[in-house]
Amino acid sequence: MTRKSTAKKERHQKLVKFIKTNPFLTDEELAELLGVSIQTIRLDRLELKIPEYRERLKYVAKGDTCQVKSLSYGELVGELVDIQVGKSGSSILTINRDMVFKKNKVARGHHLFAQANSLAVALIDAAVALTGSAKVTFRQPVKLGDRVVAEAVIVDNHDKKYRVSVISKVKDQVVFEGLFTVFAVEEA
Amino acid sequence: MTRKSTAKKERHQKLVKFIKTNPFLTDEELAELLGVSIQTIRLDRLELKIPEYRERLKYVAKGDTCQVKSLSYGELVGELVDIQVGKSGSSILTINRDMVFKKNKVARGHHLFAQANSLAVALIDAAVALTGSAKVTFRQPVKLGDRVVAEAVIVDNHDKKYRVSVISKVKDQVVFEGLFTVFAVEEA
DNA sequence: AATTTAATTAGTACCTGGTACTAATAACAG
DNA sequence: CTGTTATTAGTACCAGGTACTAATTAAATT
């Protein structure tokens, strides 16, 4: 014997493919599908280091929610459209499934805040800038699929303290307004 | 007895919130969290028609969110610690690499806002609640690895309008304060 | 063909996270 | 003090496994 019977090798390939295309198959179902005993399936999974059904479920489920749970990461929330550092800028955020309440498909407020806040911070001409305070108003509910255009302008600056006004619109209708106080931070 | 003891009603609300925000909790863990026996949890789930752990996993994994009850997962940023629906609650957010500025490892403000906002919304005893406005202050920079404990209290309520105060701390030091105006939304 | 080795199947004890049920006790209102 | 509700305890049973031993079957080597 070379190393492994071809029958076994073939079955292993099939097994991997089956589970890949449908992780919700139990050993019993797999045994039926491949025409072998349940014990063989279990030995196969052991060899191939394929976790059991319930572990696979958990893995898939966690992969689904881990993204949902957290806010969009990265330096900027949304897509930068235009920027004059120290002056003004704009970004676009398209509301996806993970940003809305499942019940009514309205975007959670903090996503709009995140877009505005990260844009405000991006305008500051410093190594790092931190938000000190903000006053925000959510004028209209934003729905799944909406393209939110945020426009930010530095309205005031004294030393390291900046005031940034952000207005977000969906199709020319104001949905969000915010006034952010941002501080530039020196870097060593 | 009216219809149900208040203790039970409250526990039921908590149970729903806990499972909503984290479907990966077993009855044993829930029993621990709510300070009752595992049997009580099971009776509660039966009454509330909340499916068992493995069924919930399957729903999440299959992306069906849930057909049984309108349990919308991942609606909270952070981990729910305690809640009295309609009164107060608290959550914990641990700052990870994805939440901080690469340069100085300070958390981006909108993550703290998101934790506070989602907690404020979770307190409202309604099908859906939307943030109308907010005034927030970032008192201290929050660093990578910090455990941010947010405590929210409903300070005022007229009809569908609620005012929720949120104070977030890292090791007893206030890092964030916010006053949110939230509106309850009726569902058809 | 006989033997050796690999592969498969069978069977057992045990595990988690439950359901479904019965029974006993605790809490509380009238 | 008595009912009612709520909670806890305990049992049998289930799915879908792990981990192990032993027996059987198939294939390869001598």
Side-chain angles (χ1 to χ4, degrees), chain B residues 97-145:
Chain B
R97 292 157 303 291
D98 299 326
M99 300 177 187
V100 300
F101 291 101
K102 271 156 205 140
K103 291 200 184 172
N104 59 357
K105 309 294 181 200
V106 169
R108 270 177 270 271
H110 54 255
H111 289 101
L112 296 187
F113 182 94
Q115 178 190 18
N117 181 55
S118 59
L119 181 60
V121 165
L123 288 191
I124 310 304
D125 187 15
V128 186
L130 293 177
T131 307
S133 62
K135 240 187 107 169
V136 299
T137 307
F138 299 89
R139 294 276 178 224
Q140 290 288 326
V142 173
K143 295 269 184 172
L144 176 60

Side-chain angles (χ1 to χ4, degrees), chain B residues 1-169:
Chain B
M1 207 158 278
T2 45
R3 251 188 63 79
K4 221 193 220 183
S5 83
T6 49
K8 196 175 176 178
K9 218 186 242 169
E10 234 177 77
R11 194 184 58 236
H12 279 192
Q13 291 182 323
K14 284 187 194 185
L15 189 64
V16 169
K17 290 283 179 185
F18 271 117
I19 292 178
K20 254 191 194 182
T21 56
N22 182 6
F24 307 105
L25 289 168
T26 62
D27 286 354
E28 200 177 354
E29 295 169 319
L30 288 163
E32 176 102 9
L33 278 167
L34 297 175
V36 290
S37 75
I38 203 165
Q39 285 81 358
T40 301
I41 295 294
R42 286 174 178 167
L43 284 174
D44 285 352
R45 276 200 302 98
L46 201 69
E47 264 187 81
L48 297 167
K49 288 175 185 155
I50 295 171
E52 63 166 283
Y53 170 74
R54 289 173 301 223
E55 285 302 307
R56 297 195 303 266
L57 270 195
K58 221 184 287 179
Y59 286 138
V60 176
K62 292 197 170 165
D64 289 350
T65 315
C66 205
Q67 332 137 303
V68 182
K69 255 214 125 190
S70 5
L71 296 172
S72 34
Y73 306 128
E75 69 172 34
L76 202 85
V77 174
E79 207 182 312
L80 194 61
V81 172
D82 189 41
I83 189 164
Q84 275 97 42
V85 176
K87 282 187 185 169
S88 63
S90 58
S91 77
I92 292 179
L93 179 69
T94 303
I95 304 300
N96 66 33
R97 292 157 303 291
D98 299 326
M99 300 177 187
V100 300
F101 291 101
K102 271 156 205 140
K103 291 200 184 172
N104 59 357
K105 309 294 181 200
V106 169
R108 270 177 270 271
H110 54 255
H111 289 101
L112 296 187
F113 182 94
Q115 178 190 18
N117 181 55
S118 59
L119 181 60
V121 165
L123 288 191
I124 310 304
D125 187 15
V128 186
L130 293 177
T131 307
S133 62
K135 240 187 107 169
V136 299
T137 307
F138 299 89
R139 294 276 178 224
Q140 290 288 326
V142 173
K143 295 269 184 172
L144 176 60
D146 279 353
R147 255 173 101 259
V148 182
V149 180
E151 300 202 315
V153 182
I154 295 182
V155 291
D156 190 48
N157 167 226
H158 287 102
D159 197 22
K160 301 195 182 316
K161 183 175 167 180
Y162 296 78
R163 265 175 219 288
V164 185
S165 159
V166 184
I167 293 176
S168 300
K169 294 177 184 178

